[in-house]
Amino acid sequence: MRFPYEDEQRAERLRLIETLEQLPDEEFDTGTTLCAGWAPRDVLGHLIGADYLATYLRFGTRFNAANQAQADRVRHLPRARLEEWARAWAAAPSATSRLGAAVMLGDLGVHHQDIRRGLGRPREVPDSVATAIFREGVHLSFWLNRRLLRHRVVPTDGHRPIGRGPEVRGTREALGMWLAGRDPVSGELDFA
């Protein structure tokens, strides 16, 4: 049985792995991302760890602590072993990730962009991923920064406007990243 967005999630996982495999060791281990304090290997550790529901159960509602534990778990793994694990993760998502693919795709898309943007490697974001990033930003905004409660976001590439207040215009991907607290994308947005 296929769940909604399951195929898109697998495809984006494979694109992420392709991005990571192109990085030299130094960038993979210590490169800049839009996730404060995390290198690309840490972001990958978090994303793989999200397939393990037990990690989150152990930390209760302390999601940041759970995310950090996932990143810490892989920090000293040899790169070849981590990449092998990532390929298995991409090929066979957990049942909970498959079931929640509509939500997990947004988190995956945001973090893939965290890596690409942090290292200055732009890419053409697939339409379904851009929409998922926008949705993820909308959800995260409510508990991270409340930007959506103070602004009307107007995607310029195909989605209905959301929110009230001064308008902010941009692509779904850039707006989603900004709503998710990634301030470096602000220069790509048009603030009314």
Side-chain angles (χ1 to χ4, degrees):
M1 174 180 187
R2 287 272 192 238
F3 294 99
Y5 298 98
E6 183 178 347
D7 292 335
E8 291 90 338
Q9 179 189 49
R10 282 191 176 144
E12 184 65 6
R13 284 180 174 195
L14 291 172
R15 286 188 289 267
L16 170 69
I17 290 167
E18 183 179 313
T19 294
L20 293 170
E21 287 178 342
Q22 293 172 4
L23 299 180
D25 287 341
E26 185 174 327
E27 279 188 323
F28 182 79
D29 290 328
T30 63
T32 301
T33 72
L34 300 187
C35 291
W38 280 4
R41 81 159 28 249
D42 302 316
V43 175
L44 178 59
H46 156 63
L47 289 169
I48 290 173
D51 268 22
Y52 297 92
L53 189 58
T55 301
Y56 287 99
L57 295 175
R58 196 172 83 226
F59 285 91
T61 59
R62 296 178 305 129
F63 297 112
N64 288 338
N67 292 340
Q68 188 62 53
Q70 294 160 348
D72 292 344
R73 179 178 173 182
V74 302
R75 186 151 294 137
H76 301 293
L77 270 182
R79 180 176 180 173
R81 172 63 187 109
L82 182 54
E83 287 178 339
E84 179 183 318
W85 192 5
R87 285 188 289 279
W89 162 81
S94 70
T96 55
S97 285
R98 290 177 47 239
L99 181 61
V103 174
M104 301 294 281
L105 179 60
D107 184 56
L108 174 62
V110 165
H111 286 307
H112 191 177
Q113 288 303 99
D114 285 335
I115 293 167
R116 299 287 305 211
R117 285 175 167 277
L119 295 173
R121 289 186 167 88
R123 73 171 176 138
E124 180 98 12
V125 179
D127 193 56
S128 61
V129 177
T131 298
I133 290 170
F134 182 69
R135 259 193 332 262
E136 180 76 1
V138 166
H139 294 278
L140 289 175
S141 175
F142 286 111
W143 66 275
L144 282 178
N145 54 39
R146 310 241 189 302
R147 287 179 174 165
L148 195 58
L149 298 177
R150 297 186 314 269
H151 297 87
R152 178 174 175 78
V153 294
V154 182
T156 57
D157 62 347
H159 196 284
R160 66 179 176 78
I162 300 175
R164 293 190 180 130
E167 283 191 358
V168 181
R169 295 178 172 271
T171 64
R172 286 166 292 159
E173 182 268 342
L175 286 169
M177 296 296 286
W178 177 73
L179 288 169
R182 276 51 175 196
D183 291 336
V185 305
S186 296
E188 298 174 27
L189 301 175
D190 180 22
F191 292 84

